[in-house]
């Protein structure tokens, strides 16, 4: 139950971070938003260091750096994927891949599910697709290149989670600090190379910093959840993060929640209840 609650908290934090980051990206180029969010995220993890401790062993350094590279790749691929569109098709593809791969990794490592888990896990995967699909599922058909990018983005997100899970359990927040430092350096380097294409608009500083802080909280809760529970269960619950984004968009921006998304939210609630029994 502790792992389940931590995973739900991570999912909610990821959803809130995406919502704030998306709003910030409306005001300026998305890289300008990340240039604020990434250092803010790293600052939160450094503040957690004295509280939760950090052991910078070879394993923590290696797996942390690998997660940082995967995080930077996920950002680049996801940004390119959503730019090509259609989002309502590509977004659920990315979300599904990001959930399925960690589930497979967990099961290959010997994790086992109860009867309730065998029902709840696929139901949660269905909920991920329904919630992230949005409106107008019958709109444009994605190109092969767009689908490949969506798979790549989902795989990069999944690898980030798997790499964090592989870090030594006694390493504290060291993998998070190393990973965020690496991804921040790569992202800032990319922003420097593309500075002429970023436009003159200023980012929403407070909103972008809040998104980065929430992303750090989400990463921390995932790390704690995966250390106290099965990766297969934790990863699929975390992948329900679009639910938080959808509900915030409904409450703050008065965006309409589609019928399929409502079904997905209901399926997610049932799935989480079943997974709680595992």
């Amino acid at each position: 139950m502790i792992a389940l609650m931590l995973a739900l908290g991570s999912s909610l934090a990821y959803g809130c971070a995406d919502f704030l980051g998306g709003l910030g990206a409306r005001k300026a180029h998305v890289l300008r938003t990340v240039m604020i969010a990434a250092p803010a995220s790293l600052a939160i993890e450094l503040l957690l260091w004295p509280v939760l401790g950090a052991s910078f062993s070879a394993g923590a350094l290696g797996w942390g750096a690998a997660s940082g590279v995967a995080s930077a790749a996920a950002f680049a691929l996801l940004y390119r994927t959503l730019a090509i569109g259609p989002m309502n098709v590509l977004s659920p593809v990315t979300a599904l891949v990001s959930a399925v791969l960690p589930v497979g990794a967990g099961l290959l490592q010997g994790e086992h599910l109860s009867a309730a888990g065998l029902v709840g896990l696929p139901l949660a995967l269905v909920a991920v697709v329904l919630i992230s699909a949005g409106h107008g599922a019958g709109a444009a058909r994605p190109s092969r290149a767009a689908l490949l990018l969506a798979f790549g983005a989902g795989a990069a997100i999944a690898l980030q989670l798997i790499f964090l899970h592989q870090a030594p359990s006694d390493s504290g927040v060291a993998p998070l600090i190393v990973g965020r430092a690496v991804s921040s350096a790569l992202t800032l380097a990319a922003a420097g190379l593309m500075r002429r294409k970023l436009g003159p608009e200023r980012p929403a500083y407070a909103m972008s910093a809040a998104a980065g802080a929430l992303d750090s909280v989400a990463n921390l809760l995932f790390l704690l959840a995966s250390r106290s529970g099965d990766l297969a269960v934790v990863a699929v619950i975390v992948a329900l993060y679009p639910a938080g984004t959808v509900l915030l968009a409904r409450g703050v921006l008065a965006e309409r929640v589609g019928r399929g998304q409502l079904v997905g939210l209901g399926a997610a609630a049932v799935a989480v209840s079943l997974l709680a029994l595992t």
Side-chain angles (χ1 to χ4, degrees), residues 29 31-32 79 188-199:
H29 192 284
L31 274 177
R32 290 198 180 277
Y79 174 61
L188 292 174
L193 292 173
M194 296 178 59
R195 61 185 181 277
R196 294 183 179 179
K197 299 181 180 180
L198 300 185

